[in-house]
Amino acid sequence: AQKITQTQPGMFVQEKEAVTLDCTYDTSDPSYGLFWYKQPSSGEMIFLIYQGSYDQQNATEGRYSLNFQKARKSANLVISASQLGDSAMYFCAMRERTSGSRLTFGEGTQLTVNP
Amino acid sequence: DAMVIQNPRYQVTQFGKPVTLSCSQTLNHNVMYWYQQKSSQAPKLLFHYYDKDFNNEADTPDNFQSRRPNTSFCFLDIRSPGLGDAAMYLCATRIQAGVGETQYFGPGTRLLVL
């Protein structure tokens, strides 16, 4: 079974608008962390935001926020005020306590920001 | 300043000709990873080192080997590259702590096999 599911292969948004990228996960481990990475066409994976399973509040980092709904096992990324430079591939990933050093990635969402 | 450095950024090799990709880090992280990423796919973990302990993923082909001579450097050796090995190879590092410590990725090496 897929541990991380990103159901949107591609998303389009107008510049300056907000966009939500979906991510659902599957784990029975009570201790886990959720990550979002951005990968521009240049290839480098850029860390955006982190949410721990025991965190009470949703994580925020500048224009990025994570809508964490633990009971629904979802960790959607919200990008506010989209910019042209936000066009990239976005990956959701999870590390479980029982998986040690391993990070499990979703298949990614290709975001295109239109002017 | 770059924290995870990969050289070269682009590598062209011939079918069957051994190739080595390198990764270095200035973060003094004890965990280093190698991923293979093909076009429009998620990164696939090949192996990782926890200090000097080598951890191979079960489905990593024998054609792929790795060396970590010290904390700062890690190498990926592809003994006999095939056309299917053309991909982006990403190195990442992490401090081993709880689940929350993020991985820091290098810029990647794009490998082309002719």
Side-chain angles (χ1 to χ4, degrees):
Chain A
Q2 287 274 45
K3 282 188 175 274
I4 295 284
T5 303
Q6 294 180 253
T7 58
Q8 308 152 314
M11 285 285 284
F12 294 86
V13 66
Q14 287 298 120
E15 195 178 5
K16 300 180 185 177
E17 292 185 352
V19 63
T20 298
L21 306 183
D22 294 341
C23 174
T24 57
Y25 59 92
D26 183 27
T27 181
S28 56
D29 193 333
S31 178
Y32 55 90
L34 297 157
F35 303 79
W36 277 93
Y37 288 88
K38 171 185 178 183
Q39 189 176 39
S41 57
S42 59
E44 184 172 1
M45 295 281 276
I46 302 166
F47 166 70
L48 295 178
I49 196 166
Y50 164 77
Q51 181 84 43
S53 60
Y54 295 116
D55 293 344
Q56 296 294 316
Q57 295 196 329
N58 287 343
T60 60
E61 289 286 348
R63 294 188 298 111
Y64 304 108
S65 60
L66 203 151
N67 184 2
F68 182 46
Q69 298 189 44
K70 193 170 181 177
R72 298 178 63 181
K73 294 188 175 177
S74 75
N76 299 338
L77 177 69
V78 181
I79 305 174
S80 63
S82 297
Q83 301 172 356
L84 296 178
D86 293 334
S87 293
M89 192 74 148
Y90 288 80
F91 288 98
C92 179
M94 175 174 67
R95 178 180 297 116
E96 301 160 283
R97 180 183 51 83
T98 52
S99 67
S101 296
R102 292 176 179 81
L103 199 61
T104 302
F105 285 89
E107 291 302 309
T109 296
Q110 180 68 47
L111 176 67
T112 302
V113 180
N114 294 316
Chain B
D1 291 338
M3 297 181 289
V4 183
I5 302 159
Q6 289 188 247
N7 286 306
R9 295 291 308 276
Y10 299 89
Q11 177 73 57
V12 181
T13 190
Q14 292 179 330
F15 183 93
K17 184 176 181 180
V19 65
T20 294
L21 310 182
S22 73
C23 176
S24 63
Q25 55 137 336
T26 60
L27 297 163
N28 204 34
H29 285 171
N30 56 346
V31 189
M32 291 188 79
Y33 305 80
W34 278 107
Y35 290 88
Q36 179 194 64
Q37 187 180 26
K38 297 191 175 179
S39 183
S40 303
Q41 295 183 17
K44 178 181 180 297
L45 182 63
L46 295 174
F47 22 62
H48 73 277
Y49 280 91
Y50 177 34
D51 292 325
K52 284 195 173 289
D53 292 335
F54 176 69
N55 298 272
N56 198 27
E57 294 302 296
D59 57 355
T60 298
D62 292 339
N63 198 24
F64 292 85
Q65 304 285 320
S66 184
R67 297 169 283 136
R68 189 179 186 187
N70 52 51
T71 299
S72 301
F73 287 87
C74 195
F75 300 97
L76 171 61
D77 301 309
I78 308 176
R79 293 192 296 186
S80 182
L83 298 179
D85 296 328
M88 171 75 93
Y89 289 88
L90 294 165
C91 174
T93 74
R94 173 176 172 257
I95 194 81
Q96 179 70 15
V99 295
E101 293 297 328
T102 190
Q103 293 182 12
Y104 293 88
F105 285 82
T109 295
R110 287 189 191 275
L111 178 68
L112 180 63
V113 182
L114 300 178

